[in-house]
DNA sequence: CACACTCGAGTAATCGTTTTCTCAAAAGTT
DNA sequence: AACTTTTGAGAAAACGATTACTCGAGTGTG
């Protein structure tokens, strides 16, 4: 692949002039610039990124590390990040940690070594890659979940309140024994949603019962098993609050296996408004999180830090809202 | 951020020794190596990627450029790529071209400048970024669609046959007027599926009718409009073959608006087996494409080219298979 | 006309690694 | 004991761009 030297030779100028011409500096004669441009064109010249980044001491790339590319919640975040970053001249590379702490650390490590301009991290679990980030000068923003024990800019969703509202709403719909399927202990979003569920029960004057709570990974399979174990209780719950949309898939599948209907048999509210949620029968009630906004806000925050914004770390909390559909209506009938 | 020089100073050795020690070369005294390691540790040293890549003339990163992160088909591909790449010591960066030819070119451009080891490209439309790739020495593999006018390794799915089989199957189920909603003209996957649909009609002895065919972007909204226009015909189709899963969402939404049921009112087969497909009422019949395998095969191909495998460009064609569910059963009843 | 200034382009230093040389000391050979 | 071979570590040369200097030529001013 052609280097700047070859371009310089072909155009009969120095490498400095080539560099200036190609970077649109105005201190170069227009005739020379034209010669450089055609020479570069003819050689198919493409500047060597590593060399440029090394010299400039910066790389116009943001890393976005998420825990599950197959989850619409995270892909919506990525779209938000991308839109903001792109407008500011940054590329975004998306890394999928697959909810694996080891992979997450490895991606953070790569991002740091490659000297990306900044990192957006949606931390997986407890042992996050966040500790690698803190201390290095590389700006970073935590999305969706805080980094345990590390201070830094954070964009969260007030899912506790949303969970409380959703639970209260279930009780108002006539469900007297709401259960809850949430994520692993120690994962903030999982714990907040559980706490919100308990608050909601209290607000509705229902005595909570820990046997109506199950935890699993934020995946379909675990949630399916949890659902089965709940519904096989002698006093099963009459409705469920489900902590994310991947889990909702597992819950729905198990309901189908058991021959139960959402709504009439088991009230259902799940977190995250996936595109398919409203197409189910009955349409799935959800707590819609502002995923796209998490992305845009996070990216803006990161860009301002990259632009050397000083000041204390900030925490932005966005709010989620309930979208009631028929899966939380005990009177719903298939036809 | 600490450099190799500072580590060398602190350990009282030369930079060459530091480099050798950290890269696990065996030609370095174990006592010195230990000193280097602790010095690096204490300084939080992290090698400068751009410098390393510049010197080594290679970057252990693969770029995967896809047209829609929100489409499960592509995220499944990415998982396949990731698994293979990771095992071989490569990182994968995922770039979302958003079906925008301009963005695609821009990402290809970034990938080339950053001198990634290889590029996996699932081309968007006609004006692909592929022409940027051909000619450069950077190995690349086209996924899902061929690069128009450019020879290179390609991994495809035989969606033509799959479309034919699906159409024939619809007719065997008793539907006599299958329609087709496919992607934009000129996009190979769209055209192949349409051709397969026509073959299927022919095989079933049904006279095709071009008024039963609609094209739109591979998105929900356009497919929804197409569905409406088809079903408002005086002689509407009694069933539909839909060319991808994002489109299926639009079709389903429109059916609901029109108060029609899949299966009993309109037979439905869509491409791509999304996780939610089987949870619908009726469960959605699909043509399941081996998305994960596209990823693994593509990545292996790319890795072997990176490993200097010579030889003519290859084309691997994987096959898709029909997964019949109730949405293509005219006798299906809600209960 | 002499002098200071501006302008534009070339020279060379620099970014932080890896790796080829180079060379002294240790080890082995006759 | 003299000589070759091996070993291990430092000095210095890449890698390919950007950019701080430098310097000659052209321009403006008193």
């Amino acid at each position: 692949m052609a280097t700047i030297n070859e371009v310089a030779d072909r155009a009969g100028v120095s490498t400095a002039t080539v560099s200036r011409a190609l970077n649109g500096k105005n201190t170069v004669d227009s005739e020379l610039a034209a010669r450089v441009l055609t020479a570069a064109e003819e050689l198919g010249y493409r500047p060597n990124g590593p060399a440029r980044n090394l010299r400039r001491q910066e790389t116009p790339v943001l890393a976005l590390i998420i825990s599950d590319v197959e989850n619409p919640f995270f892909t919506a975040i990525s779209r938000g990040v991308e839109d903001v970053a792109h407008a500011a001249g940054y590329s975004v590379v998306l890394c999928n940690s697959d909810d694996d702490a080891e992979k997450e650390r490895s991606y953070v490590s790569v991002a740091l070594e490659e000297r990306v301009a900044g990192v957006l991290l949606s931390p997986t679990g407890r042992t996050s890659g966040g500790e690698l980030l803190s201390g290095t000068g590389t700006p970073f923003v935590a999305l969706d979940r805080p980094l345990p024990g590390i201070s830094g800019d954070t964009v969260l969703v007030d899912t506790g309140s949303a969970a409380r509202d959703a639970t209260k709403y279930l009780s108002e719909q006539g469900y007297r024994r709401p259960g809850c399927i949430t994520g692993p202990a120690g994962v903030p979003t999982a714990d907040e949603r559980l706490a919100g569920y308990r608050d909601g029960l209290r607000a509705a004057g229902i005595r909570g019962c820990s046997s109506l709570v199950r935890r699993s990974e934020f995946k379909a399979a675990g949630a399916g098993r949890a659902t089965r174990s709940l519904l096989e209780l002698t006093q099963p719950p009459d409705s469920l609050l489900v902590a994310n949309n991947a889990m909702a898939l597992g819950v729905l599948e198990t309901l189908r296996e058991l021959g139960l209907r959402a709504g009439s048999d088991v009230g259902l509210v799940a977190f995250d408004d996936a595109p398919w949620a409203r197409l189910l029968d009955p349409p799935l009630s959800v707590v819609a999180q502002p995923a796209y906004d998490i992305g845009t806000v996070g990216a803006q925050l990161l860009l301002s830090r990259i632009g050397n914004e000083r000041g204390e770390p900030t925490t932005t909390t966005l709010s989620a809202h309930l979208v009631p559909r028929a899966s939380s209506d005990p009177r719903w009938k298939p036809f």
Side-chain angles (χ1 to χ4, degrees), chain A:
Chain A
M1 172 144 285
T3 73
I4 200 173
N5 277 295
E6 303 173 42
V7 177
D9 285 353
R10 180 173 258 259
V13 298
S14 73
T15 63
T17 301
V18 173
S19 174
R20 286 190 276 250
L22 293 179
N23 288 297
K25 296 273 199 302
N26 50 1
T27 65
V28 48
D29 185 83
S30 62
E31 195 244 335
L32 286 193
R35 270 186 11 225
V36 168
L37 245 53
T38 59
E41 178 72 25
E42 287 163 7
L43 291 170
Y45 171 69
R46 200 168 278 283
N48 182 309
R52 160 180 290 178
N53 299 335
L54 172 59
R55 172 64 222 221
R56 288 212 179 133
Q57 298 281 79
E58 62 176 5
T59 305
V61 169
L62 306 183
L64 170 60
I65 304 174
I66 62 180
S67 52
D68 183 7
V69 267
E70 303 205 62
N71 185 332
F73 174 65
F74 291 112
T75 54
I77 289 180
S78 102
R79 205 167 274 275
V81 169
E82 188 121 6
D83 286 350
V84 170
H86 212 261
Y90 286 85
S91 301
V92 176
V93 300
L94 191 59
C95 309
N96 179 31
S97 72
D98 216 1
D99 246 322
D100 172 341
E102 197 40 57
K103 266 188 168 178
E104 177 183 300
R105 289 178 67 88
S106 136
Y107 273 119
V108 170
S109 200
V110 170
L112 287 174
E113 294 196 355
E114 295 303 326
R115 301 297 195 266
V116 298
V119 177
L120 291 138
L121 180 62
S122 130
T124 73
R126 283 130 290 193
T127 54
S128 88
E131 53 212 30
L132 290 178
L133 281 166
S134 77
T136 74
T138 305
F140 63 93
V141 173
L143 302 181
D144 186 43
R145 306 175 195 166
L147 291 169
I150 288 161
S151 84
D153 292 318
T154 309
V155 183
L156 301 176
V157 176
D158 183 6
T159 58
S161 314
R164 183 172 50 74
D165 294 349
T167 309
K168 205 150 136 275
Y169 160 80
L170 278 173
S171 84
E172 286 158 10
Q173 288 290 96
Y175 299 103
R176 304 308 298 165
R177 282 178 66 78
C180 179
I181 300 181
T182 191
V187 177
T189 46
D191 292 344
E192 276 169 28
R193 288 167 201 185
L194 176 56
Y197 157 79
R198 291 192 169 128
D199 288 353
L201 290 184
R202 207 168 304 126
I206 298 176
R207 229 178 106 249
C209 171
S210 64
S211 69
L212 295 185
V213 171
R214 289 289 183 283
R215 288 180 182 273
S216 89
E217 290 185 297
F218 275 117
K219 298 261 173 82
R225 286 190 296 272
T227 305
R228 187 172 285 270
S229 93
L230 279 172
L231 295 179
E232 283 171 349
L233 291 174
T234 48
Q235 300 216 330
D238 61 2
S239 54
L240 292 172
L241 178 66
V242 182
N244 93 340
N245 82 89
M247 288 174 144
L249 287 170
V251 173
L252 289 163
E253 185 144 14
T254 301
L255 287 187
R256 167 155 296 190
E257 287 165 13
L258 297 175
L260 295 173
R261 281 284 185 168
S264 47
D265 296 326
V266 181
L268 218 54
V269 175
F271 272 77
D272 305 335
D273 196 6
W276 43 264
R278 72 171 78 172
L279 296 175
L280 299 174
D281 263 315
L284 184 63
S285 302
V286 298
V287 174
Q289 299 197 78
Y292 181 86
D293 298 336
I294 296 178
T296 56
V297 171
Q300 276 154 358
L301 224 47
L302 186 61
L303 288 175
S304 72
R305 292 293 181 187
I306 291 170
N308 249 320
E309 187 67 50
R310 305 272 93 217
E312 288 301 298
T314 66
T315 295
T316 308
T317 305
L318 306 174
S319 56
H321 66 279
L322 182 72
V323 180
R325 299 195 183 111
S327 75
S328 52
D329 178 356
R331 286 163 300 284
W332 180 82
K333 288 279 170 339
F335 243 52

